[in-house]
Amino acid sequence: MLTTTNPIGLDPEILADLRHEARLEASDQIQAVLEGRREFFDFYDVAGQVARLNRADLTHRLEAILTTDQRGAVFAAALSQSPAVLARAAMLMSQAVYGLAVQHAERVVRNAGGRHG
């Protein structure tokens, strides 16, 4: 569950929509960079500044989200032809992309509140 506060008293449904749309857009953009369809993803860092992340930067951040066992499973999938191993790695990376997109969405909402507050 997202936990951003509502510093400017926006309708909670509007905040939820903003979070949802920001997360979906971030997920799509992150995936596009990882697949080579985009060069950068403009990720909001903890300070609310834009960090231009390329594929290597995103990979590093996604790996940081995964546990050691999960990273091992993803790396093993690169060497495997097993559909089950590949499916597990895809699921783990999808979860990591989701986690990074949620972080970005929280910061989008926080930054929006700061601009209007």
Side-chain angles (χ1 to χ4, degrees):
M1 169 131 200
L2 299 173
T3 59
T4 300
T5 59
N6 189 352
I8 57 173
L10 286 177
D11 183 314
E13 287 184 35
I14 292 172
L15 280 178
D17 287 346
L18 178 59
R19 281 186 199 107
H20 179 73
E21 291 300 319
R23 185 193 52 77
L24 287 177
E25 183 178 334
S27 292
D28 289 345
Q29 290 180 15
I30 291 167
Q31 195 65 40
V33 171
L34 293 173
E35 293 172 358
R37 294 181 283 125
R38 286 179 59 111
E39 190 172 346
F40 293 101
F41 170 60
D42 293 334
F43 179 74
Y44 281 109
D45 64 18
V46 174
Q49 302 298 313
V50 173
R52 299 204 79 193
L53 304 180
N54 62 25
R55 185 177 186 176
D57 298 328
L58 282 172
T59 300
H60 178 72
R61 287 186 185 245
L62 292 170
E63 287 173 353
I65 290 173
L66 298 172
T67 67
T68 301
D69 289 343
Q70 291 170 329
R71 281 192 301 274
V74 170
F75 293 136
L79 304 172
S80 176
Q81 297 299 318
S82 165
V85 172
L86 294 170
R88 174 157 164 65
M91 180 196 67
L92 291 170
M93 287 306 294
S94 177
Q95 289 172 344
V97 167
Y98 178 85
L100 195 59
V102 167
Q103 289 175 13
H104 176 78
E106 284 292 303
R107 293 168 187 159
V108 166
V109 171
R110 188 179 327 126
N111 288 345
R115 286 193 300 271
H116 294 92

